[in-house]
Amino acid sequence: MPTTRIPPRQRLTLPLLLAALLAGIMALAYFEVIDLYIQTIILFIGINIIISSSLNLVNGHMGEFSCGHAGFVAVGAYVSSVITVALFTSDRVFGPPLLPPQLAPLGFPLALLAGGAAAAVAGLLVALPSFRTRGDYLAIITIAANYIIITTVINIDTIGGARGFMGMKRVIFAMEEVAEIPWMVLWVFTFTILSLIAIRRFVSSTYGKGIIAIQQDEVAAEMMGVNTNRIKLVAFMLSSGLAGIAGGLYAHVIGYVNPKSFDILKSTEAMVMVYLGGMGSISGAVLSAILFTLLLEALRPLQIIKWIVIPLLLIILMQFRPEGIMGNRELTDIFPRLKKLHRFK
Amino acid sequence: MFDTLLQNLINAMQWGSFYSLIALGYTLVYGVLLLINFAHGDIVMVGSYIAFFVATLFLGHYDLFPVALPGPLVLALTVPLTMILTALVGVTLERIAYRPLRRKGAHRLYVVITALMCGLILENGNLALLGASRKKFPELVDKVIYTAGGVSVTNLKIAVILTAVLVFVGLHLIVTKTRMGMAMRAISYDKFAVPLMGIPIDTVIVFTFVLGSSMAGLAGILFALSYPILDPYMGLSIGWKAFIAAVVGGIGDIRGAFAGGFILGFVEIMVVAFFPSTYRDLFAFTILLIILTLRPTGLFGVPKTTKV
């Protein structure tokens, strides 16, 4: 197929817009126009976008029902935190820094990726049984995986057990020693965009179309020559790996992780974001992550009532729009003119 | 050594009875509707609170009913009243949240999310209404301890285990022997043909929810009697675990839910007996994961053949 030449305007608009957005947020954060609270909310939006779009890969595109996503977030959070804390800071448990702290800005993304890789390996816990198990039985396996991961963490005393693990703030300080910029904004933004590109490219590739084939009809997909086991393996590992990256970012934004914060309730939040956005819609997952995070913050003054109002809103939404905000469409299907702005392939 | 083992076995029977009772409710609703009713654990919690208020009412704690009745009579009144009221809660959820979605033909996972949200509302609504102070369930019947050898059994434990067995037998008879049970099985077999045969599908579904939720109410009372401190999140973990038990047995199958509940209870108690208690969930869920990997449709589940 001859490659069509894309006019430069079309090719560059989206990257330029994103770069401008990143520069804008970082400048605002640098000159302290937006305070730390708003900055944290923006960071949470980014993290939640990764979590919801990665879960969407399994629950939406592949049509499985994974309800233990927070477990993989936990793996990523713990692994990357332990790596950064051991390498770049002097810690009570891990002793003096193993590498000069000046390397922190270089090592941090690598630690995040290592956390993601560990989470992807943990994803095998679900991916391997998924060869033979489907539907609600697989859902249980994901819940069990979530419990297994959390109780494993609780039983490892070196990383704090049930008390939690801290010291990640010192990693941030080590990075700020090198250059005084809002590092976490940079990392969260970069990894959010990279995850979205990865998911988008994977799903729209010929290879990744197998995921949608599995969602439609697994038997038929297998007959058409889709290696369903391999596709499932890749999809589960990609999904949990991205969740692990989100976990690493979350741990460094908060500066403290606790096994309790990755329990079924957190998984429920992730599921809510997926189904709120619409199964199998990447832009839906992004939109719902933004909306959900903002909603959580906006209703914070209500305290305990918040957790009555939010489920109630969701139930009402489900009654009027049972397919979620976007259904399985993308933003570009609704506003075709947006297609002019980007070109992923 | 043998005594401790036997003692742990009896404790496991009691703990497994709770899981079984709750798993039976899950499996009934799932068997008919293919809906994972994630609010079920919280319905158990609501059942405990209803039992608390009914029991304290008859014990004369409120001005509304100033006479204090004797404990056993209070219990005899509490059990049916709680079951009826809890069934009402379950049916209300079905009417308000699940039925409109079913009518619209929404994807079943959206119904599952709705169920999760209903559970959150029940928990936090309770917390907002009653405050964070925990309630202490009154002791209605004097505790009797029977000791044989080194093994001791309380009357409560016997009652819990007996109830679970009776409920299982009763439900099994209802589902296999009555016309209503036949209708329930028919709906789970083919939900499009059943209305054409003149079976009132909504009545059958409401009946299913009445059965499932009243079992949850019963479990709530027994749980409150055995572990008298009530808190709004008590249904959360036991509910998720009972669901897992139901699936391990083979979800949709009543025998499976019963067996799965006892297996989970047994594993949990035995792990705690020999290892530090923080390992409980780790071992229990690893064993369940292995069972499901070896038997992907649960112990009693029949593998479905897919025709093309």
Side-chain angles (χ1 to χ4, degrees):
Chain A
M1 201 181 98
T3 47
T4 44
R5 267 191 64 80
I6 309 159
R9 187 174 63 99
Q10 202 166 326
R11 201 171 47 205
L12 289 176
T13 315
L14 196 65
L16 281 181
L17 273 179
L18 287 174
L21 185 62
L22 172 61
I25 296 174
M26 281 184 68
L28 286 178
Y30 184 74
F31 294 113
E32 288 172 5
V33 183
I34 47 176
D35 56 5
L36 271 177
Y37 174 64
I38 297 177
Q39 210 175 313
T40 317
I41 295 175
I42 294 174
L43 295 179
F44 273 152
I45 289 178
I47 293 166
N48 279 340
I49 287 176
I50 305 181
I51 293 180
S52 81
S53 55
S54 62
L55 183 63
N56 195 19
L57 188 65
V58 167
N59 282 25
H61 291 110
M62 199 157 74
E64 286 295 354
F65 187 42
S66 165
C67 14
H69 209 52
F72 307 121
V73 180
V75 173
Y78 268 90
V79 170
S80 58
S81 306
V82 168
I83 291 176
T84 54
V85 168
L87 287 185
F88 304 118
T89 69
S90 58
D91 188 69
R92 204 161 29 81
V93 184
F94 298 104
L98 298 172
L99 290 175
Q102 288 77 26
L103 287 178
L106 279 177
F108 182 74
L110 295 178
L112 274 185
L113 290 179
V121 172
L124 286 177
L125 211 59
V126 175
L128 293 179
S130 80
F131 293 169
R132 296 182 61 201
T133 321
R134 289 221 70 191
D136 298 322
Y137 293 96
L138 192 60
I140 289 306
I141 289 181
T142 61
I143 297 174
N146 194 342
Y147 271 107
I148 288 174
I149 290 169
I150 288 177
T151 43
T152 311
V153 170
I154 288 178
N155 284 303
I156 303 176
D157 214 42
T158 347
I159 53 171
R163 295 184 307 278
F165 182 73
M166 56 201 300
M168 283 76 84
K169 279 281 179 235
R170 292 202 297 273
V171 180
I172 312 286
F173 295 147
M175 285 197 278
E176 283 173 353
E177 292 277 296
V178 179
E180 184 73 35
I181 57 168
W183 282 101
M184 283 322 287
V185 177
L186 176 68
W187 294 131
V188 170
F189 198 90
T190 316
F191 277 98
T192 307
I193 299 301
L194 286 179
S195 318
L196 286 177
I197 292 176
I199 292 174
R200 160 87 198 195
R201 297 201 70 142
F202 178 61
V203 173
S204 56
S205 69
T206 317
Y207 183 69
K209 285 268 193 313
I211 294 190
I212 295 152
I214 288 177
Q215 184 217 352
Q216 301 287 337
D217 191 328
E218 193 174 334
V219 179
E222 201 158 3
M223 285 180 159
M224 299 304 288
V226 178
N227 186 345
T228 50
N229 282 358
R230 188 140 150 225
I231 294 269
K232 279 187 201 167
L233 193 70
V234 172
F236 272 114
M237 287 182 78
L238 180 62
S239 162
S240 54
L242 291 177
I245 289 177
L249 291 168
Y250 172 84
H252 287 84
V253 168
I254 299 274
Y256 167 74
V257 280
N258 182 316
K260 272 272 177 290
S261 46
F262 301 108
D263 61 357
I264 292 281
L265 207 62
K266 185 85 184 166
S267 298
T268 311
E269 275 179 29
M271 282 195 285
V272 164
M273 285 191 280
V274 169
Y275 294 101
L276 179 67
M279 291 163 72
S281 163
I282 298 173
S283 41
V286 174
L287 271 181
S288 69
I290 297 173
L291 274 179
F292 189 69
T293 319
L294 290 179
L295 194 68
L296 278 184
E297 287 306 321
L299 295 178
R300 192 175 285 279
L302 291 178
Q303 290 172 354
I304 189 66
I305 311 282
K306 177 176 91 165
W307 282 109
I308 305 173
V309 175
I310 289 175
L312 208 58
L313 282 177
L314 277 166
I315 290 177
I316 294 169
L317 182 88
M318 295 280 168
Q319 304 290 346
F320 289 106
R321 218 178 147 70
E323 71 273 23
I325 299 174
M326 303 288 288
N328 59 359
R329 294 174 301 176
E330 295 291 347
L331 212 52
T332 45
D333 300 338
I334 302 172
F335 304 106
R337 295 178 74 116
L338 285 176
K339 271 185 193 154
K340 281 191 187 158
L341 289 181
H342 78 292
R343 190 90 189 197
F344 267 112
K345 271 183 241 175
Chain B
M1 181 61 207
F2 182 70
D3 284 349
T4 26
L5 200 67
L6 205 62
Q7 182 67 55
N8 277 318
L9 200 65
I10 290 169
N11 293 346
M13 293 275 281
Q14 185 204 16
W15 194 229
S17 299
F18 290 124
Y19 283 140
S20 282
L21 272 175
I22 302 168
L24 283 171
Y26 265 115
T27 221
L28 266 181
V29 171
Y30 185 90
V32 174
L33 282 176
L34 293 186
L35 158 70
I36 312 173
N37 184 14
F38 275 134
H40 196 71
D42 298 303
I43 294 178
V44 175
M45 177 273 295
V46 170
S48 290
Y49 272 85
I50 290 175
F52 169 79
F53 284 115
V54 172
T56 43
L57 175 73
F58 287 125
L59 285 173
H61 288 204
Y62 308 105
D63 295 335
L64 195 67
F65 190 86
V67 198
L69 298 177
L73 181 62
V74 173
L75 185 64
L77 284 170
T78 306
V79 171
L81 268 176
T82 307
M83 284 172 72
I84 292 168
L85 290 173
T86 319
L88 264 179
V89 174
V91 172
T92 313
L93 283 189
E94 200 272 330
R95 281 305 294 265
I96 293 177
Y98 307 153
R99 188 182 290 184
L101 279 178
R102 199 167 61 238
R103 289 270 163 79
K104 286 194 187 101
H107 194 289
R108 55 182 271 271
L109 293 185
Y110 286 99
V111 190
V112 173
I113 295 294
T114 305
L116 270 172
M117 294 303 115
C118 291
L120 278 178
I121 290 181
L122 288 179
E123 283 160 24
N124 296 301
N126 181 339
L127 199 60
L129 277 177
L130 302 176
S133 69
R134 294 177 169 192
K135 300 270 182 276
K136 165 99 174 59
F137 198 81
E139 201 166 304
L140 296 178
V141 185
D142 293 330
K143 201 183 217 173
V144 186
I145 302 174
Y146 309 99
T147 320
V151 183
S152 65
V153 189
T154 61
N155 51 352
L156 190 62
K157 271 183 195 170
I158 297 175
V160 169
I161 297 168
L162 266 183
T163 314
V165 175
L166 286 179
V167 164
F168 163 65
V169 174
L171 284 184
H172 192 69
L173 287 180
I174 288 178
V175 170
T176 51
K177 294 281 191 282
T178 63
R179 281 172 66 84
M180 205 51 149
M182 195 192 270
M184 285 161 71
R185 281 179 291 143
I187 291 177
S188 80
Y189 189 73
D190 187 339
K191 87 176 161 230
F192 297 105
V194 162
L196 301 177
M197 300 291 125
I199 297 170
I201 196 162
D202 280 335
T203 317
V204 179
I205 288 171
V206 165
F207 179 74
T208 315
F209 269 89
V210 167
L211 268 186
S213 307
S214 53
M215 291 317 131
L218 193 60
I221 301 170
L222 293 173
F223 198 81
L225 282 170
S226 313
Y227 308 94
I229 305 295
L230 310 183
D231 86 288
Y233 295 104
M234 61 193 268
L236 198 62
S237 127
I238 198 169
W240 282 97
K241 287 183 180 172
F243 172 50
I244 293 177
V247 174
V248 165
I251 190 157
D253 188 299
I254 289 189
R255 292 165 305 163
F258 188 66
F262 276 103
I263 291 173
L264 184 60
F266 183 77
V267 170
E268 286 201 358
I269 296 286
M270 286 303 160
V271 169
V272 175
F274 297 107
F275 295 97
S277 63
T278 45
Y279 283 94
R280 187 182 67 185
D281 287 358
L282 185 61
F283 276 73
F285 289 117
T286 312
I287 290 172
L288 299 186
L289 200 71
I290 294 169
I291 292 180
L292 273 184
T293 315
L294 296 178
R295 283 195 63 96
T297 49
L299 293 174
F300 287 85
V302 187
K304 243 192 254 167
T305 46
T306 320
K307 284 181 197 154
V308 185

